[in-house]
Amino acid sequence: MSNTAWENLVKKQLKTDDIYSVLSKENLEGIVVKPFYDSVEKPLVNLPKIEESTHLVSRYHESLEEDVFAFILDQNVENLEQKTIFVNNFDLAGHISPKEEDPYFSLIDVFDEKEATINDQLVKELLAKQFRRNICVDISLHQNAGAAIYQQLGIALAKTKELVEVYGSEILNKLIFRIAVGGNYFFEMAKLRAFKMVFNQLSKEYNLDEIPYIFAETSLRNKAVADNENNLIRSTLELASAMIGGADAIFSNNYLVDRSTDNSEEISFKQQIVLAYESIINVFEDASNGSYYVEDITQQIAEKSWKLFVEIEEKGGYLELLKQGIIQKKIYDHAVEEQKWVEEGKIKLIGVNLYPKLNVKKSAEELYNEKEIKAVRWAEMFE
């Protein structure tokens, strides 16, 4: 179908000649989204992932030992043989001693965001252990605090550069990136794909050809206390974005915001099972490759992320800008603007600001602090 024929069809269906104002979508990322795509400027090759099939990760519970192959651990559990383990506790990570053949990963962030330092002792302890991936670079906090997608990736690169400068480029294949996936379905697919591109570009600066290990988890930012069922739907879509985007491991945070039950933990994990074994989207290397839309926004996000990374480096690096409060202010500015979009209904959150629209009980200024990176849910404004 020619572009003219397509436009005429849409005009008829929308009953207006002004279709572009209807189809154009604003976003806070500064990403240009076209009403339709018939080509892409730079077709991408398949973006690989490290794991052949995505790890489906559950919080540990003894009742799940037979059925689950990957656990996230907050405390030590004996005799978990032939299981993939993601260690999520500072003390446990320091004391656990896996064997070389054990598939253990550390999810402990070695950065102290408040002190703007790297925990050197912890890094050295972790590097001395037989983990498949020893050092976690956690940017899930930044997503939950309201950072833009390109800010999250630019920060991930800047934190990586800080580690390389201290511990050498050989640390690149020892890293695992903990990334929170939000509700902007296609943008989040593009986020993971763009990160693979920019991380690989950074590795080539050191004459390497590395791809990042991505541990993706569902966001807390768009969840609401009073909308458990909606939370469940949102997190399922986020898991799908992560799988299609090429995450190596995925984890669903409990869809109950203010509490946890055995049943809710089980359902949270079974979301992944349905997607993996009924939709079968966990085995593709780069499922969205070939989509003109996803490829285009992937390129744009990669370019904006790299630009921010370079800007951070030119001004002294991540830790230096953290000490100066510049990183916190960048995230704060975007988070407050995003919160205003929620308040105005430009970002729709079913049950919170749409069906029904609730009264605002807290201002954005009460929720956010320009001197601190902290997690804030959109719905807190109305609760």
Side-chain angles (χ1 to χ4, degrees), residues 44-48 157 160-161 164 169-170 172-173 195-212 306 309:
L44 300 178
V45 297
N46 249 23
L47 297 172
L157 292 176
T160 300
K161 184 71 161 34
V164 169
S169 60
E170 58 271 17
L172 288 175
N173 66 4
F195 185 55
K196 294 183 181 190
M197 293 171 60
V198 292
F199 181 85
N200 182 254
Q201 184 175 341
L202 177 61
S203 78
K204 287 178 178 176
E205 301 286 331
Y206 302 100
N207 298 314
L208 299 171
D209 190 23
E210 299 289 341
I211 55 172
W306 187 263
F309 164 59

Side-chain angles (χ1 to χ4, degrees), residues 98-307:
K99 299 174 184 177
E100 186 175 357
E101 64 272 15
D102 293 335
Y104 274 60
F105 298 79
S106 171
L107 288 180
I108 310 302
D109 191 5
V110 297
F111 285 81
D112 186 327
E113 303 285 340
K114 291 186 178 180
E115 298 296 324
T117 58
I118 297 173
N119 188 330
D120 180 64
Q121 181 180 349
L122 179 61
V123 172
K124 290 175 178 176
E125 287 179 6
L126 291 171
L127 288 175
K129 296 179 182 294
Q130 298 290 347
F131 283 102
R132 294 282 175 88
R133 294 276 164 161
N134 308 66
I135 306 300
C136 177
V137 177
D138 188 350
I139 56 166
S140 63
L141 168 64
H142 302 81
Q143 192 277 341
N144 283 304
I149 285 174
Y150 74 90
Q151 290 176 335
Q152 296 166 46
L153 302 191
I155 287 170
L157 292 176
K159 293 178 81 171
T160 300
K161 184 71 161 34
E162 297 279 0
L163 290 169
V164 169
E165 288 180 353
V166 179
Y167 304 102
S169 60
E170 58 271 17
I171 202 171
L172 288 175
N173 66 4
K174 301 179 186 298
L175 301 179
I176 178 171
F177 291 87
R178 187 171 189 169
I179 298 176
V181 176
N184 197 338
Y185 191 65
F186 293 106
F187 273 45
E188 294 293 336
M189 286 179 207
K191 177 172 82 175
L192 300 190
R193 300 177 80 245
F195 185 55
K196 294 183 181 190
M197 293 171 60
V198 292
F199 181 85
N200 182 254
Q201 184 175 341
L202 177 61
S203 78
K204 287 178 178 176
E205 301 286 331
Y206 302 100
N207 298 314
L208 299 171
D209 190 23
E210 299 289 341
I211 55 172
Y213 191 107
I214 297 175
F215 178 98
E217 62 182 57
T218 56
S219 173
L220 301 175
R221 186 148 173 80
N222 59 352
K223 307 305 185 292
V225 171
D227 292 298
N228 299 330
E229 291 80 6
N230 289 346
N231 291 342
L232 191 59
I233 295 168
R234 291 183 188 115
S235 57
T236 301
L237 292 170
E238 290 161 5
L239 292 169
S241 284
M243 285 186 178
I244 295 169
D248 296 289
I250 60 165
F251 173 70
S252 181
N253 284 298
N254 201 307
Y255 65 93
L256 301 180
V257 171
D258 57 346
R259 65 190 188 283
S260 174
T261 66
D262 288 347
N263 187 53
S264 68
E265 290 288 353
E266 183 178 355
I267 291 174
S268 293
F269 177 68
K270 285 183 175 177
Q271 292 173 268
Q272 304 172 38
I273 296 293
V274 171
L275 288 169
Y277 295 104
E278 293 191 12
S279 298
I280 320 176
I281 59 175
N282 66 318
V283 296
F284 295 100
E285 190 172 76
D286 190 5
S288 57
N289 190 12
S291 161
Y292 293 155
Y293 171 46
V294 175
E295 286 194 18
D296 185 63
I297 61 176
T298 296
Q299 292 280 2
Q300 291 187 63
I301 290 171
E303 289 168 7
K304 287 178 68 68
S305 303
W306 187 263
K307 182 179 179 181

